Amino acid sequence: MTAKILVVDDVSSNVKLLEARLKAEYYTVIVAHDGEEAMDLVAKQQPDIILLDIMMPKMNGFEVCKKLKNDPLTTHIPIIMVTALHDTHDKVQGINAGADDFLTKPIDETALSARIKSLTRLKMVIDELRLRGETNAEIGGVSGMDYSNQIFDANILVIDEDVFQAEQIYNVLKQRFRSIKILNDPIEALKVGIEGNYNLIISDMQFSKTDGLRLCSEFRSKVETRYTPILILSEDYDRSNLVKALDVGANDYLTVPLDESELIARVNLQVKRKRYQDALRMNLFNNAEMSVKDPLTNCYNRRYFDAHLKNIVKDSVEKDRRLSLMILDIDYFKKVNDDFGHSAGDELLKQIQKRISENIRVTDLLARFGGEEFVVVMPDTNVLDAFAVAERIREIIAIEPFTLLDKSITHSVTVSIGIAEMQKSDLDNIKKFIIRADRYLYKAKNSGRNRVVTS
């Protein structure tokens, strides 16, 4: 997961330290030493994230943040404001200026890594939403950005045995959000969280009945809460468990005792992220223009795929990012139609689409390519990572039999998959990109089926 990060600070030693830390995690780093230079660089290079110091000459961080957030061309870029330790006034002013997140000096490495990773994921979702909005506009569809920018009616679940702390969180959030539910029992909270369709789950790390890490892992493993942001509460000194929590699926953390302005900022960020993801799914499954959807499987059709792939390729080239594409074909699909009828074949296609969609990212593009073929476009993904995703999908389809025609038929199914990564030579003719993946698909077919083949 790569990102281009703009570091803005007038102190050279601060810039060098942040630059070294970020480059060590393989991010691309550009730097500015004052507000005016930062504005110029943002316009020219469109970074994915901005790390913005507050105290600078010519134009302070608040002014820069406000201008960027008021500009339609840059409002979508996440901004992390760097503040002095425990300076609540700066944080409140930063929220009012539009800041998405905060880091306090001296900057902790765990905090820096967690914030950057969380915002990078958010930016990927925003970029894909904007890109699909452009494609929808080209072919007469609609965008989900309006929905994604509304967060006041968010549904938030707080899980905490500390009654005083839970009440503090409730009192802060009730001023900004419509529905806040507090639960003290983590076992009950797991059931409620899965059934409740929450926009955010806030959970403590310590419980008497269960391990907070286990609870986080359980939420992340369920289909219903796989994309629900999880914000954990952690003691300052509990670094080892904090890193583990981020590894098992937590999106971000807050240290206790809680800072109210930081709580608001982190909750705003995670709820926005969930709304952006929801908006992408609304585009995928509920697009107003039926002409872009396959009526049987409810995923995008070939017409939309052809139009959107051009935008994805253009975006990947501009950002110098990898791009992979997989084509999946159902093995012996004709035999299903011949043995059980076309109704069974239609039901199988719908169930295959469901299994694929549950095992790819919200930013990936899934479309019905034609007949019994599906295609998945994976931005910011190299061929090795794409192979791992494809192998997971192949295995999930092969292991669990499909029940067709009102549970009267149980049928084992496999798929063959071909994968290609975009090359420079594909830029002149995108069809070559598709043809290469198609060639690997037929190689998988000819070498025994139920396998993944790539270069």
Side-chain angles (χ1 to χ4, degrees):
M1 185 168 56
T2 59
K4 183 193 295 182
I5 301 173
L6 171 61
V7 176
V8 189
D9 197 316
D10 63 317
V11 180
S12 296
S13 58
N14 291 344
V15 171
K16 288 178 181 178
L17 180 61
L18 282 171
E19 189 175 10
R21 287 180 177 178
L22 293 170
K23 284 185 175 179
E25 302 240 0
Y26 303 102
Y27 294 110
T28 300
V29 182
I30 52 178
V31 301
H33 297 93
D34 60 58
E36 291 181 358
E37 185 183 2
M39 295 292 294
D40 290 339
L41 278 173
V42 171
K44 292 174 183 176
Q45 299 211 28
Q46 286 286 308
D48 296 302
I49 298 169
I50 301 170
L51 269 172
L52 181 62
D53 192 40
I54 291 177
M55 301 305 295
M56 294 185 299
K58 299 183 181 179
M59 188 187 301
N60 67 38
F62 299 125
E63 294 174 286
V64 174
C65 184
K66 200 166 186 178
K67 287 188 176 184
L68 291 173
K69 289 299 182 180
N70 287 334
D71 187 339
L73 298 177
T74 56
T75 187
H76 62 284
I77 301 175
I79 297 175
I80 303 177
M81 299 205 78
V82 181
T83 71
L85 189 62
H86 303 311
D87 197 334
T88 301
H89 174 73
D90 281 353
K91 291 178 180 178
V92 172
Q93 196 171 344
I95 290 173
N96 293 334
D100 299 279
D101 212 333
F102 299 98
L103 282 171
T104 55
K105 295 178 180 178
I107 294 175
D108 176 82
E109 286 195 25
T110 303
L112 177 65
S113 178
R115 307 307 181 225
I116 294 294
K117 285 178 181 176
S118 183
L119 283 170
T120 300
R121 294 188 189 103
L122 174 66
K123 182 59 163 48
M124 287 176 65
V125 175
I126 294 172
D127 285 348
E128 182 60 23
L129 183 57
R130 295 175 72 241
L131 205 59
R132 291 192 188 184
E134 290 176 15
T135 303
N136 286 342
E138 289 172 9
I139 60 179
V142 296
S143 169
M145 288 298 286
D146 290 341
Y147 165 79
S148 61
N149 286 324
Q150 296 174 3
I151 64 172
F152 67 91
D153 58 345
N155 196 14
I156 299 171
L157 173 63
V158 180
I159 312 165
D160 197 342
E161 286 181 340
D162 185 331
V163 176
F164 175 78
Q165 186 168 270
E167 187 177 352
Q168 180 190 5
I169 293 171
Y170 176 82
N171 289 333
V172 173
L173 297 184
K174 73 177 181 180
Q175 308 297 326
R176 293 172 174 264
F177 299 99
R178 181 177 295 171
S179 175
I180 317 294
K181 186 173 185 65
I182 306 291
L183 290 176
N184 308 118
D185 183 353
I187 306 302
E188 179 190 1
L190 180 61
K191 182 175 183 294
V192 171
I194 290 170
E195 295 175 351
N197 191 28
Y198 288 92
N199 297 113
L200 173 66
I201 296 171
I202 302 175
S203 175
D204 197 10
M205 288 266 286
Q206 304 296 331
F207 295 100
S208 57
K209 292 184 178 180
T210 187
D211 180 2
L213 295 178
R214 175 71 60 187
L215 181 63
C216 181
S217 177
E218 288 281 349
F219 276 127
R220 195 53 77 227
S221 68
K222 305 297 182 184
V223 172
E224 296 86 349
T225 50
R226 182 168 295 161
Y227 300 109
T228 305
I230 300 173
L231 184 62
I232 57 172
L233 308 176
S234 172
E235 299 287 344
D236 269 324
Y237 55 81
D238 199 6
R239 291 299 176 201
S240 59
N241 274 343
L242 181 57
V243 172
K244 287 180 185 176
L246 295 169
D247 286 341
V248 299
N251 298 91
D252 203 350
Y253 70 91
L254 277 165
T255 55
V256 294
L258 295 171
D259 179 300
E260 291 188 6
S261 57
E262 191 168 3
L263 171 63
I264 292 168
R266 305 239 180 277
V267 170
N268 282 348
L269 175 63
Q270 295 304 328
V271 171
K272 279 184 180 180
R273 179 181 174 188
K274 180 62 163 59
R275 286 298 172 93
Y276 281 126
Q277 290 176 329
D278 289 347
L280 278 178
R281 290 190 187 88
M282 287 167 62
N283 273 343
L284 181 60
F285 295 109
N286 301 308
N287 196 285
E289 289 293 319
M290 292 301 292
S291 61
V292 305
K293 292 170 62 179
D294 172 53
L296 176 65
T297 62
N298 212 25
C299 65
Y300 285 119
N301 60 19
R302 179 66 184 267
R303 175 173 178 250
Y304 184 88
F305 164 78
D306 287 338
H308 193 49
L309 181 61
K310 294 175 185 175
N311 286 333
I312 294 175
V313 169
K314 179 173 177 287
D315 188 64
S316 296
V317 171
E318 288 175 350
K319 295 178 179 175
D320 192 26
R321 290 183 176 172
R322 313 287 277 273
L323 177 66
S324 293
L325 179 148
M326 73 167 77
I327 302 179
L328 307 88
D329 184 88
I330 304 173
D331 297 329
Y332 303 112
F333 181 73
K334 184 177 183 299
K335 183 172 173 55
V336 176
N337 282 333
D338 291 345
D339 291 351
F340 308 116
H342 287 280
S343 294
D346 289 349
E347 178 62 26
L348 177 60
L349 285 168
K350 289 190 279 189
Q351 292 187 34
I352 289 281
Q353 183 273 335
K354 185 174 185 294
R355 291 194 193 182
I356 296 171
S357 65
E358 288 175 350
N359 287 280
I360 60 176
R361 302 168 302 181
V362 70
T363 50
D364 297 331
L365 172 68
L366 169 63
R368 187 177 176 190
F369 201 52
E372 63 269 28
E373 288 186 342
F374 292 89
V375 60
V376 180
V377 186
M378 294 170 285
D380 201 21
T381 305
N382 62 39
V383 71
L384 292 178
D385 290 338
F387 183 90
V389 174
E391 185 58 31
R392 182 173 71 239
I393 291 172
R394 183 203 63 76
E395 187 174 320
I396 285 169
I397 289 172
I399 287 176
E400 186 68 29
F402 291 80
T403 302
L404 311 173
L405 296 181
D406 296 326
K407 303 182 179 180
S408 61
I409 301 170
T410 300
H411 188 70
S412 295
V413 177
T414 62
V415 294
S416 299
I417 303 176
I419 300 172
E421 183 176 341
M422 187 179 68
Q423 300 174 355
K424 288 183 179 179
S425 59
D426 297 330
L427 302 181
D428 297 330
N429 186 352
I430 295 176
K431 285 184 179 179
K432 291 192 295 184
F433 184 22
I434 302 170
I435 289 170
R436 245 189 7 270
D438 202 43
R439 188 181 302 132
Y440 292 129
L441 167 64
Y442 278 92
K443 190 173 180 180
K445 288 279 192 185
N446 295 330
S447 56
R449 293 180 168 83
N450 188 25
R451 64 194 61 209
V452 181
V453 174
T454 187
S455 54

